[in-house]
Amino acid sequence: MFPKNFYWGAAAASYQIEGAWKEDGKGLSVWDVVSNETDFVYEGQTGNIACDHYNRYEKDVQIMREIGLKAYRLSLSWPRIFPEGTGRINQKGLDFYDRLIESLLENNIEPFVTLFHWDYPWELFLKGGWLNPDSPKWFEEYANLVAERFVDRIKYWITINEPQCFIILGHQDGSHAPALKLPMRAVLQAMHNSLLAHGLAARAIKDVDSKAKVGYAPVGTTFYPKNGTSKEIEFAKKLMFEKNDDSLWTDAWWMDPVFFGKYPEDGVKKYEKYMPEISEDDMQIISYPLDFFGCNIYHGIPVEEIDGEIVVGKAPVGSPKTDMNWPVTPEALYWGPKFFYERYKKPIIVTENGVALKDWVMEDGKVHDPGRIDFLSRYIKQLGRAVSEGVKVEGYFVWSIMDNLEWAQGYEKRFGLVYIDYESQERIIKDSGHWYKKVIATNGKDLSY
Ligand code: GCO
């Protein structure tokens, strides 16, 4: 069912695992400052040490090899490479990624590199961050440098991860760093600049290596038809791709500009008063042609027909939820990729899917997580269904390779295939990690527990 050479992988992001927040010349990120200087993160936790992946990457790559990963999705820390965000380069930061990438390649693990997974350079934030008209250029400079440096070794690039989160959560509702609550006009300006940054970075990478595969990983809110009727399907798509409310989360708002070169008209009308100035050139830059659509999908929202009326469905009382309180809805990994593929016509890579559970080390010294195995197996089956119906899917990445800092929720949430003891930094492959090994070895055929 899954194509040959399918990328079975796992993912993580720099701030969530690296630690070494001041080692070897790294600059600060907005997350470093906010977590150290406010009580913003759960129990006052920080990413200062995290999984100490910066110093333990060799061991971590050995674990990935043991699990049999074909691919690993990492992100680069922008302030580790440019301590001030632009200009001065920190060679030692680049050297770290050199070592990590070499080690992955030696172990036959394909690195998928995300340029920006939210650890924005503090020094650039002081200059206005995403509101500064030069901010797209700063990102272009960074993209160009890393593309030049890693051109011979990296085939797959992702520009920005979930712009919805760092813009809406970071700049509008203040629940992520830099913890701003800006008026809509400013939020839309920041959004537009981040999309320009994406486009310039995509172009910069392709200019260095025309064969590189470049993608973008927005987070999607997937609505799915509970009974699969055509009326439900139509309604689900309407909720994903039309502007129905004031929220900025609508999928099309973040995807149409990138894949179609224009903001959806209904949204432009709705935000008319607050829209930034947009030139023709801007939309051309933002829609620089991409090679794949990266989707991060954890759950979906059902729509259903009740007494002839189509409504947003409610989860039945007592239905399963993860430790994030997200509903378990495997159908999302069938309908989401299907809808995105139909609309944007780009090969899909599931850049994130996974589950937080209350894992602990049991008396036998192991971490038994049958819930994660059940979760992943149900979701992978649904993805397989999409594949068998012709949706072009090239890879699937479990979030996450290891437990890590879940942003404002700190270390309380455990998403890993590998358990981390944050006191001793011991790593233990969970049952799900061993199970995933078999899934990979059978190219997704054997999902049994
Ligand atoms: C995201 C981020 C990850 C999260 C994960 C679980 O998608 O929010 O990419 O960094 O940790 O999704 O919430």
Side-chain angles (χ1 to χ4, degrees), residues 242-375:
E242 291 178 22
K243 184 117 275 325
N244 307 289
D245 56 21
D246 285 336
S247 141
L248 270 175
W249 285 98
T250 319
D251 292 291
W253 187 248
W254 303 85
M255 300 172 187
D256 283 11
V258 168
F259 294 99
F260 296 159
K262 74 202 243 291
Y263 285 105
E265 265 156 38
D266 49 6
V268 173
K269 217 156 150 205
K270 182 142 218 149
Y271 303 130
E272 202 179 359
K273 278 204 311 226
Y274 314 115
M275 285 297 284
E277 242 179 75
I278 299 172
S279 71
E280 278 273 315
D281 274 7
D282 284 4
M283 296 320 292
Q284 233 181 24
I285 292 170
I286 291 174
S287 59
Y288 187 88
L290 297 181
D291 302 291
F292 63 91
F293 183 102
C295 50
N296 297 351
I297 297 183
Y298 292 84
H299 57 92
I301 304 171
V303 300
E304 63 180 313
E305 188 169 353
I306 299 177
D307 300 331
E309 213 195 318
I310 315 269
V311 292
V312 173
K314 269 210 208 124
V317 173
S319 54
K321 293 219 173 94
T322 73
D323 195 30
M324 296 290 278
N325 248 330
W326 296 343
V328 179
T329 54
E331 303 92 320
L333 211 55
Y334 167 73
W335 291 103
K338 193 174 162 80
F339 288 158
F340 293 132
Y341 185 62
E342 268 173 23
R343 186 175 176 91
Y344 299 114
K345 303 191 168 44
K346 291 285 172 189
I348 301 283
I349 295 183
V350 178
T351 33
E352 287 178 27
N353 170 244
V355 57
L357 294 172
K358 294 248 178 277
D359 303 313
W360 65 83
V361 184
M362 304 210 167
E363 274 194 309
D364 61 1
K366 297 186 177 151
V367 181
H368 303 296
D369 58 342
R372 183 168 288 101
I373 295 177
D374 186 72
F375 180 101

Side-chain angles (χ1 to χ4, degrees), residues 1-2 6 8 67 372-374 376-381 384 396 431-449:
M1 162 176 52
F2 288 96
F6 189 74
W8 292 100
I67 295 177
R372 183 168 288 101
I373 295 177
D374 186 72
L376 296 176
S377 128
R378 287 174 192 262
Y379 277 71
I380 292 172
K381 267 184 211 151
Y396 169 85
D431 285 0
S432 57
H434 295 295
W435 168 86
Y436 195 42
K437 180 176 183 148
K438 181 181 64 182
V439 174
I440 297 172
T442 61
N443 200 25
K445 279 197 202 85
D446 188 355
L447 295 168
S448 67
Y449 181 20

Side-chain angles (χ1 to χ4, degrees), residues 401-417:
I401 180 64
M402 63 186 106
D403 294 338
N404 60 51
L405 181 121
E406 179 56 23
W407 307 109
Q409 281 150 301
Y411 299 103
E412 202 219 351
K413 307 293 178 202
R414 293 183 178 271
F415 272 93
L417 294 171

